[in-house]
Amino acid sequence: MTLASSRLNADLHCHSAVSDGTLQPESLAARAKANGVELWALTDHDELGGQERAMAAALDLGLPYLTGTEISVTFLDITVHIVGLGFDAANAALNAGLAATRGGRRQRAMDMSDALAKAGIHGAYEGALKYVCNPDLISRTHFARHLVESRVCGDTQEVFRRYLVDGKPGYVPHRWATLRDAVRWITEAGGIAVIAHPGRYKLSANEEFALFSEFRAHGGEAVEVVTGSHNAGHFVKYTEMAREFDLYASRGADFHSPEESHVDLGTLPDLSASLTPVWEALKDRVHRPG
Ligand code: AMP
Ligand code: MN
Ligand code: MN
Ligand code: MN
């Protein structure tokens, strides 16, 4: 099988304990390999701290690897995620941009804890910290794990629905990177920017058109079509959007944890053969086993 194939089992979106996943990069590499993944990228939120370990583990297993991250962006007052793939992980501007983006997370977490306390849930910051491996990267997911463990909710989905999304008691608005900066940091480091799971954003058709148009204007070149966050209707819709906006297509489970994630690494359907996979444009950026 060649890299050009839309049938390559590429999984280019997942999280380790370096952000809000529960597995270490080495375990994820082994899981990807065991599940038949043929090209892999670890895409921790706003963070490159797991890249060297992920790449070393992948190459040891004979698994080709692309560098990755998932940048938190504020667009039209909502949070949008932009995945970066195939960049130089040592790029100074990218590293500085990611450090600035994750910089406000600790204060935000303390504010979330105060907000939850007003709703009668006390000690959530300390509780969430028990699940945090990287002190720079405390996320809503860590709060969700704590609220499940302390039996406030039955599962993490319920925590988000009842407490952690806009309009709910533990939600604290936050300003992340701009779309323009995120796309630039990735592309100027030699990578390709990808709109992550567009089906998840609560945007009107006009707002979604603005997201795709502005993303393209800033130099973004790809969109996730097949992801664990999309249903079959989204696969069809974003196949059409990728073609309309002349974007490469990406595929990735967005795997976080064996206990929480419904879609495992390497188990999604293939991209439509009518699309050009993003890995065709990244051939020269793939790290291959020696
Ligand atoms: P944060 O970057 O701290 O805002 O946390 C965002 C993360 O929370 C996402 O990357 C997901 O891992 C997780 N998340 C967001 N919404 C949900 C949801 N409805 N159910 C479960 N996890 C979610
Ligand atoms: Mn996450
Ligand atoms: Mn995301
Ligand atoms: Mn993700």
Side-chain angles (χ1 to χ4, degrees), residues 16-118:
S16 76
V18 172
S19 64
D20 63 346
T22 59
L23 301 182
Q24 296 299 327
E26 292 80 6
S27 305
L28 283 169
R31 193 176 185 97
K33 180 70 181 175
N35 287 0
V37 172
E38 296 167 291
L39 175 64
W40 179 54
L42 171 66
T43 55
D44 279 315
H45 297 284
D46 308 322
E47 173 65 85
L48 303 180
Q51 291 302 305
E52 274 186 31
R53 290 168 59 193
M55 174 152 29
L59 298 185
D60 270 354
L61 292 162
L63 174 58
Y65 185 78
L66 280 169
T67 52
T69 187
E70 181 176 23
I71 306 181
S72 309
V73 161
T74 301
F75 178 78
L76 299 177
D77 282 336
I78 71 154
T79 299
V80 162
H81 287 169
I82 300 296
V83 162
L85 295 171
F87 47 77
D88 168 13
N91 181 274
L94 172 63
N95 279 274
L98 293 177
T101 304
R102 62 181 180 258
R105 280 182 177 271
R106 190 185 301 263
Q107 185 60 50
R108 171 199 188 226
M110 291 192 279
D111 294 346
M112 283 174 62
S113 189
D114 291 346
L116 286 167
K118 290 195 184 109

Side-chain angles (χ1 to χ4, degrees), residues 20 45 81 105 108 139-141 157 160 176 200 256:
D20 63 346
H45 297 284
H81 287 169
R105 280 182 177 271
R108 171 199 188 226
S139 97
R140 284 184 290 164
T141 313
Q157 305 281 349
F160 275 89
W176 302 104
R200 252 174 57 178
H256 282 72

Side-chain angles (χ1 to χ4, degrees), residues 243-259:
R243 290 166 59 80
E244 182 184 343
F245 284 86
D246 194 24
L247 294 165
Y248 297 112
S250 193
R251 173 181 187 266
D254 203 357
F255 181 80
H256 282 72
S257 155
E259 286 76 34

